[in-house]
Amino acid sequence: MEYIKSSWKNITMNKARTVLTMLGIIIGISSVIAILSIGNGLKSDLTGSLDDMVGGAVTININTKKTPKTLKNDDLMVIADAIPIIRGVTPNVTQYGISYYRREMGTRIFGGNTSSACEFDKGFYSGKYYTQDDVDSGNDVCVMSQTSALLIFGSTDVQGLQFELTINETTRILTVVGVVRSDEAELERFREIVKSGDIDYFYADIYVPYSLLSDKYNLGKDEFTSFQIYPMPGQADEAAAKAKTLAENILDLRGQGAVAIQSYASLMEMYANVLDSVTMVIALVAAISLLVGGIGVMNIMTVTVTERTREIGIRKSLGARTSSILFQFLVESSMISLFAGFIGMILGFVFSSVLGKLAEIQAVVHASDVAMVVAISVFVGIFFGIYPARRAATLNPVDALRAE
Amino acid sequence: MDTQTQKTTALVQVTDISKIYNPGENEVRALDHVSLTINEGEFVAIIGQSGSGKSTLMNMLGCLDTPTSGTYMLHGVDVSHMTDDEQSDVRNREIGFIFQGFNLIQSLTAFENVELPLIYRKVPRRQRHQLAKAALEKVGLGKRMDHKPGELSGGQQQRVAIARAIAQAPPILLADEPTGNLDSASSRDIMNVIHSLYEEGRTVIIITHDPGIAAQAKRIITISDGHIIDDKINPSIEE
């Protein structure tokens, strides 16, 4: 207690110097905290979107380098029927084209079967999904979201409207049979975008029967190297594994590794890993600035010891043991760095919440981070305080008393 | 005339002590085979010119330094070959220092300065406060306990130093030129305080170059070139 009191006195006696000494540690700690809390925020953002995806699609690919074999729509139907925890299986064909309704609009076309309706969980704004009959005959129909309707037509009330869709050289007239509900906020955003006319950077997404693409646009045949399954909620892993095994059986490719599951979960995991390594790199930078800050503390403590040589002599003559002097200076250096740690922590919080607001990330602060900061600060204080404190403690009292 | 009767216990018993700096070619014998006995309750002045070895002797007596050879028995315990920490404990327990330059810690108040040796002795807070207060009142500074040394006159600072020296009631008061930095009025004042402490039964050792100060002691030891050249009962104060 006495040590803390006297350390406090010495620290506050020379405020400017103390603040300058603390600067390095403040920068180090605040960047550690900012990085950690933003990193945590990003991660929980990611896991948040992952949760949304769990009920969503899992893509299964056939490696075209390992086998020329492909699956037919009928094979996919077999898979869908054989595995009860799968809600649907659809081919996965993506094309790019141009829609025309009073103006041109870049469009992504997703070809599938009726199961691809599972993609939409928000329900229909108007109309319904294309039917099995549409798939069988390759009818010129499509489904789109409200936002895509805005992009193509400038309105969401588009059920029954027709527009031209050109893929490569082929142009056909498609009828909108259903409009899928979009997120309200998203919709509002797109209204603004369409109003400003700044739509060049966007694609409209439309969903058509795969047979329309293969038969009418002459893009490929009923041969698929990629398909999507829609598992029951929470059973994605099991469903994907079963679908993969079944696909291997159908293709007679058991144990060759030619069929692979590409889930969003694994993509997200990869993303999270990248984020982790970025965090590590910045943590390293922060560690270096802590090191520099620590050396600053050591430097100033050495100066302090030299300045206070006489005081140390007096204390020794009054019966201070080596350990008392050592402890006194260690308390002082730890207090400096602990104090700097707290300031750095607060700055870090401020910094991360400002940055979080700008980047629309909810910065998350864990109690463990705070504990870590305290631990690091005290460690830095003690580690870099030991050398000057030992110098002070082992001074010869006669010489120390003689010092001016 | 320099043989003291042994009816009182020997408090300080220095036997054949030498201190040599820079051993080898240019060695300096600050103390050369010095022997000395001081009993409890004595008032001793050690007088000598600068460079005579009196400061070295004071460092030895104060357990601030260890001799090159010889032994120093303090209270019957050999303190000449102790570790630093053991010496610190002995200083804390046995010796109250009064220095020429006061040696107060500038950042602490008078009260906190007096408290210091008690902290190192691990006296409980409450008792510590009482002792420090009593010591300051004894030297007449009861009203200036919260002043820092810079706010006190030289004489007052030396009183604080005396309060610090006596707060823990050590058997020996070791004063090194206690009036060296003071004007004559303050000097008289400080010497009066020291006298009264002696009269209370404390052993007082004053190191000085000033014959006027030395003349106030009961026993005067003269040191020159590292040797004790004279050790006598002060003839002028024969009761």
Side-chain angles (χ1 to χ4, degrees):
Chain A
M1 196 57 221
E2 301 303 323
Y3 291 111
I4 293 174
K5 218 172 85 181
S6 80
S7 298
W8 178 251
K9 251 186 195 170
N10 286 317
I11 289 169
T12 48
M13 210 161 58
N14 208 331
K15 287 194 190 69
R17 181 204 275 182
T18 307
V19 168
L20 286 174
T21 308
M22 293 194 300
L23 217 54
I25 294 176
I26 291 176
I27 293 171
I29 293 284
S30 63
S31 49
V32 167
I33 282 291
I35 294 313
L36 280 179
S37 53
I38 287 180
N40 287 337
L42 268 179
K43 236 182 271 176
S44 72
D45 244 28
L46 277 185
T47 32
S49 22
L50 201 65
D51 286 339
D52 294 341
M53 292 287 186
V54 164
V58 179
T59 301
I60 295 178
N61 295 315
I62 298 168
N63 190 336
T64 51
K65 283 184 189 131
K66 288 191 175 171
T67 175
K69 294 181 184 175
T70 56
L71 287 167
K72 294 183 174 307
N73 188 46
D74 290 346
D75 298 331
L76 301 183
M77 289 309 177
V78 170
I79 292 172
D81 289 342
I83 303 169
I85 56 173
I86 289 182
R87 290 183 290 151
V89 180
T90 176
N92 187 10
V93 185
T94 310
Q95 289 291 344
Y96 291 88
I98 306 284
S99 311
Y100 184 82
Y101 183 86
R102 293 181 192 160
R103 58 175 163 72
E104 286 186 349
M105 180 70 214
T107 304
R108 278 189 301 195
I109 304 104
F110 297 94
N113 61 26
T114 51
S115 290
S116 56
C118 296
E119 197 77 43
F120 308 103
D121 49 5
K122 283 198 161 53
F124 279 82
Y125 171 70
S126 64
K128 55 182 172 43
Y129 216 68
Y130 54 78
T131 62
Q132 188 59 43
D133 185 47
D134 294 325
V135 175
D136 289 343
S137 341
N139 288 338
D140 294 304
V141 293
C142 76
V143 173
M144 64 183 70
S145 65
Q146 284 180 287
T147 52
S148 294
L150 276 176
L151 289 173
I152 294 172
F153 296 99
S155 159
T156 60
D157 299 313
V158 297
Q159 195 210 334
L161 290 184
Q162 295 190 317
F163 66 99
E164 287 175 15
L165 178 66
T166 310
I167 305 175
N168 297 342
E169 303 288 286
T170 316
T171 301
R172 298 181 69 84
I173 294 171
L174 268 59
T175 308
V176 181
V177 293
V179 179
V180 177
R181 210 171 275 289
S182 294
D183 184 65
E184 240 355 282
E186 190 81 339
L187 199 55
E188 203 45 53
R189 196 162 77 83
F190 273 83
R191 281 209 176 91
E192 293 301 317
I193 289 164
V194 171
K195 203 183 281 174
S196 71
D198 204 11
I199 53 176
D200 290 349
Y201 300 107
F202 295 90
Y203 279 114
D205 289 345
I206 67 172
Y207 296 81
V208 302
Y210 74 89
S211 45
L212 172 66
L213 297 176
S214 57
D215 299 351
K216 304 286 168 59
Y217 281 95
N218 294 320
L219 296 162
K221 299 178 209 126
D222 185 11
E223 293 169 350
F224 305 110
T225 57
S226 170
F227 63 97
Q228 280 185 339
I229 63 169
Y230 297 95
M232 295 292 191
Q235 292 179 297
D237 287 341
E238 200 187 339
K242 280 187 173 168
K244 175 181 177 238
T245 311
L246 192 50
E248 281 174 344
N249 284 336
I250 292 168
L251 296 167
D252 202 20
L253 287 170
R254 273 172 300 275
Q256 295 183 24
V259 180
I261 301 166
Q262 178 209 321
S263 63
Y264 283 102
S266 57
L267 275 179
M268 286 298 170
E269 206 171 298
M270 215 172 68
Y271 195 31
N273 281 341
V274 171
L275 198 72
D276 271 350
S277 22
V278 171
T279 309
M280 281 300 295
V281 169
I282 301 176
L284 193 74
V285 173
I288 291 169
S289 87
L290 275 179
L291 181 78
V292 174
I295 292 169
V297 170
M298 181 154 78
N299 187 17
I300 220 66
M301 288 307 292
T302 309
V303 172
T304 304
V305 167
T306 310
E307 279 179 356
R308 283 158 62 188
T309 302
R310 195 182 178 83
E311 178 193 325
I312 294 161
I314 296 169
R315 286 176 184 273
K316 284 207 139 181
S317 76
L318 298 176
R321 288 182 170 203
T322 307
S323 57
S324 321
I325 304 286
L326 189 74
F327 193 64
Q328 186 194 339
F329 280 92
L330 282 185
V331 166
E332 205 168 309
S333 61
S334 316
M335 267 178 76
I336 291 178
S337 59
L338 188 65
F339 205 59
F342 273 116
I343 297 175
M345 195 157 69
I346 291 163
L347 275 182
F349 289 159
V350 172
F351 193 57
S352 60
S353 68
V354 167
L355 214 68
K357 280 233 172 66
L358 290 178
E360 291 182 351
I361 297 161
Q362 182 64 47
V364 177
V365 177
H366 291 311
S368 61
D369 296 348
V370 178
M372 195 189 70
V373 165
V374 173
I376 290 179
S377 315
V378 172
F379 173 78
V380 166
I382 290 175
F383 185 81
F384 290 100
I386 278 181
Y387 167 73
R390 272 203 63 79
R391 257 180 58 147
T394 53
L395 275 173
N396 176 336
V398 177
D399 297 337
L401 277 173
R402 212 177 284 144
E404 270 319 309
Chain B
M1 62 178 186
D2 58 344
T3 40
Q4 285 274 327
T5 43
Q6 292 284 325
K7 64 183 177 214
T8 42
T9 37
L11 182 59
V12 168
Q13 188 152 32
V14 171
T15 315
D16 208 21
I17 261 187
S18 297
K19 180 71 184 182
I20 301 168
Y21 293 108
N22 299 328
E25 295 267 318
N26 295 323
E27 65 178 29
V28 178
R29 283 179 177 267
L31 288 178
D32 196 3
H33 300 287
V34 169
S35 295
L36 173 67
T37 303
I38 297 171
N39 290 318
E40 239 169 67
E42 279 199 80
F43 187 172
V44 182
I46 296 173
I47 186 166
Q49 299 303 308
S50 65
S52 60
K54 65 179 194 306
S55 289
T56 310
L57 181 58
M58 124 107 197
N59 288 341
M60 293 298 154
L61 294 177
C63 281
L64 289 166
D65 207 350
T66 49
T68 313
S69 66
T71 55
Y72 172 18
M73 306 289 280
L74 178 60
H75 254 155
V77 179
D78 184 0
V79 295
S80 45
H81 299 98
M82 283 183 156
T83 65
D84 286 355
D85 279 352
E86 285 168 337
Q87 281 200 329
S88 285
D89 289 350
V90 169
R91 285 196 294 271
N92 186 260
R93 225 173 28 243
E94 306 281 353
I95 300 161
F97 287 97
I98 304 166
F99 296 98
Q100 175 176 11
F102 321 136
N103 277 352
L104 299 172
I105 294 176
Q106 298 297 319
S107 58
L108 302 180
T109 64
F111 184 79
E112 288 165 334
N113 265 292
V114 175
E115 233 187 349
L116 269 183
L118 302 168
I119 290 174
Y120 291 129
R121 199 189 262 196
K122 301 193 166 60
V123 176
R125 188 186 175 84
R126 200 159 210 208
Q127 201 189 343
R128 199 170 71 211
H129 281 202
Q130 282 169 359
L131 286 173
K133 200 163 165 246
L136 277 163
E137 277 164 359
K138 187 164 194 150
V139 297
L141 285 175
K143 291 205 164 65
R144 297 192 184 264
M145 294 197 288
D146 294 327
H147 289 246
K148 294 217 169 144
E151 301 157 2
L152 298 171
S153 73
Q156 286 170 329
Q157 287 190 54
Q158 194 60 300
R159 281 161 183 262
V160 175
I162 292 173
R164 182 178 65 185
I166 62 171
Q168 42 162 355
I172 303 174
L173 274 185
L174 193 56
D176 181 14
E177 305 275 11
T179 60
N181 286 11
L182 300 176
D183 58 52
S184 54
S186 302
S187 292
R188 267 199 304 283
D189 193 35
I190 291 300
M191 284 314 290
N192 285 338
V193 175
I194 290 175
H195 265 288
S196 66
L197 292 171
Y198 161 68
E199 258 132 43
E200 284 172 16
R202 286 195 174 77
T203 308
V204 178
I205 304 171
I206 293 184
I207 287 99
T208 182
H209 70 278
D210 181 350
I213 298 292
Q216 300 181 35
K218 304 285 185 264
R219 176 180 167 196
I220 302 171
I221 297 170
T222 312
I223 188 165
S224 177
D225 278 339
H227 297 276
I228 292 180
I229 55 167
D230 193 16
D231 185 353
K232 62 176 186 213
I233 305 295
N234 189 348
S236 59
I237 324 177
E238 209 67 63
E239 279 122 323

